[in-house]
Amino acid sequence: MKANLFGLHHITAISSDVRRNMQFYTQVLGLRFVKKSVNQDDTGTYHLYYGNYTGAPGTALTFFPWAGLPRGRPGKGQSYATAFSMPSTSLAFWQARLARLNVTTFSLESRFNDQVLPFLDHDGLRLELIATAESDSRPPTPSVEIPAEHAIRGFHSTTLALHEAAPTATVLTGPMGYRLLSESGYRTRYTVGDGGPGTYVDLLTDPALPRGLSGAGTIHHVAFRTPDRASQVTARQILLDGALQVSPVIDRAYFKSIYYREPGGVLFEIATDQPGFAIDEPVETLGSKLSLPPHLEPHRAEIEASLPKLN
Ligand code: ZN
């Protein structure tokens, strides 16, 4: 039995300054701010979501911003880099744009058949724009400075940095239903379902990489898509049968979630496609109000008073 997974659902990272976080992801990258909520385990902290117009599964990068939090160190035992998909014809546009906006970038890389533009956000979070010749039918969300033809389409892949790939690969290709797609040097790529951008998990065993340390500018967890509650319950049982320790189903309002740590140390989540971000505000105004799960609604006034202003 394999879990029924479609690829990446969302990726959650840790940041420091909340305003700079908002400015970078909405203005520099042109993602849409689709949900302003709070960390359910720490309601004095935001949980901010950036994605495409609807925040569709496979597009949402989310953040827990803690003001003044020291930087972590991306490295082994973590999701090391988060890659977005863009058309192959958009590379020059993004190179020029990131240079003009003084974003820290690194040399272009060739990875499998694609060109990769690596860059950092204001906290040192490792990001990549992948100019892919593969078809990506996900609708672009144009913004003020980024026309639709160059807009980010959603996630391309996550790269997990590992001491050894085999134990993680066993979980991916076993209960999670992923399959090996390609290998090059220290990197192996896995895909699931229909494949393509938004499904890929790359395992990277470069011995030069340090051990990862949690903090600002690092990834907290990687979530994978499953259609609904029933497929999630099935996935949970399959993972338990595979000797993984899995959390109970947790209601995150916009999706239901289960969590488990894969053998390489990365925290994984399986999240449902349903119900999505429009459950508590219209699509047209996503992100404009503080969204709270029902059990926190009675505490709205004190929660709002404890949160920093976003602008
Ligand atoms: Zn999550």
Side-chain angles (χ1 to χ4, degrees):
M1 285 281 285
K2 311 278 191 190
N4 182 18
L5 304 183
F6 293 165
L8 299 169
H9 184 287
H10 65 272
I11 294 176
T12 295
I14 302 168
S15 77
S16 57
D17 186 85
V18 67
R19 288 189 193 87
R20 292 180 71 193
N21 181 259
M22 173 80 80
Q23 192 267 342
F24 188 87
Y25 289 93
T26 60
Q27 294 176 33
V28 176
L29 295 190
L31 301 179
R32 187 175 187 215
F33 181 46
V34 290
K35 191 62 67 179
K36 175 166 59 175
S37 190
V38 294
N39 182 339
Q40 291 186 23
D41 303 316
D42 172 13
T43 60
T45 303
Y46 282 114
H47 192 183
L48 305 179
Y49 298 70
Y50 309 96
N52 74 356
Y53 187 70
T54 60
T59 72
L61 182 57
T62 93
F63 288 88
F64 297 132
W66 278 288
L69 186 74
R71 278 193 182 192
R73 181 176 69 193
K76 288 177 180 168
Q78 295 175 339
S79 166
Y80 181 69
T82 300
F84 297 101
S85 169
M86 65 172 176
S88 59
T89 48
S90 297
L91 189 57
F93 172 89
W94 279 99
Q95 283 181 298
R97 177 173 178 76
L98 296 184
R100 180 162 45 82
L101 297 174
N102 294 316
V103 174
T104 302
T105 59
F106 302 99
S107 305
L108 278 183
E109 288 174 28
S110 227
R111 183 178 303 163
F112 302 116
N113 296 314
D114 299 327
Q115 291 284 100
V116 180
L117 174 57
F119 63 106
L120 302 178
D121 82 355
H122 50 285
D123 284 311
L125 187 71
R126 301 185 71 91
L127 302 167
E128 298 168 334
L129 281 165
I130 300 201
T132 181
E134 283 192 85
S135 73
D136 190 339
S137 60
R138 294 175 292 178
T141 302
S143 60
V144 177
E145 296 180 359
I146 304 167
E149 62 185 305
H150 296 312
I152 286 170
R153 304 304 169 97
F155 292 127
H156 178 278
S157 48
T158 179
T159 294
L160 311 184
L162 301 166
H163 289 286
E164 49 174 348
T168 301
T170 300
V171 170
L172 281 174
T173 58
M176 294 180 69
Y178 267 73
R179 56 189 184 273
L180 176 65
L181 185 64
S182 32
E183 289 182 79
S184 175
Y186 294 118
R187 183 179 295 271
T188 51
R189 175 164 293 174
Y190 293 82
T191 188
V192 74
D194 294 337
T199 66
Y200 299 133
V201 176
D202 287 4
L203 306 187
L204 182 64
T205 54
D206 185 342
L209 293 178
R211 184 170 61 87
L213 295 173
S214 182
T218 63
I219 299 292
H220 187 270
H221 64 266
V222 175
F224 296 87
R225 296 175 59 189
T226 199
D228 52 32
R229 180 71 193 267
S231 64
Q232 183 177 60
V233 168
T234 304
R236 182 171 186 275
Q237 191 56 52
I238 292 168
L239 292 164
L240 288 170
D241 292 345
L244 289 153
Q245 296 202 5
V246 190
S247 77
V249 175
I250 298 172
D251 188 349
R252 296 302 190 196
Y254 314 109
F255 38 83
K256 291 188 166 44
S257 299
I258 56 174
Y259 301 86
Y260 55 104
R261 204 168 286 280
E262 58 81 29
V266 183
L267 184 61
F268 279 179
E269 171 182 350
I270 291 176
T272 56
D273 276 7
Q274 301 300 327
F277 294 115
I279 190 176
D280 60 358
E281 55 186 339
V283 170
E284 295 74 22
T285 57
L286 284 178
S288 58
K289 75 170 181 69
L290 181 68
S291 294
L292 295 175
H295 72 278
L296 292 177
E297 205 48 72
H299 309 290
R300 172 175 286 273
E302 60 200 90
I303 289 172
E304 285 187 333
S306 71
L307 289 165
K309 296 283 168 279
L310 287 183
N311 42 41

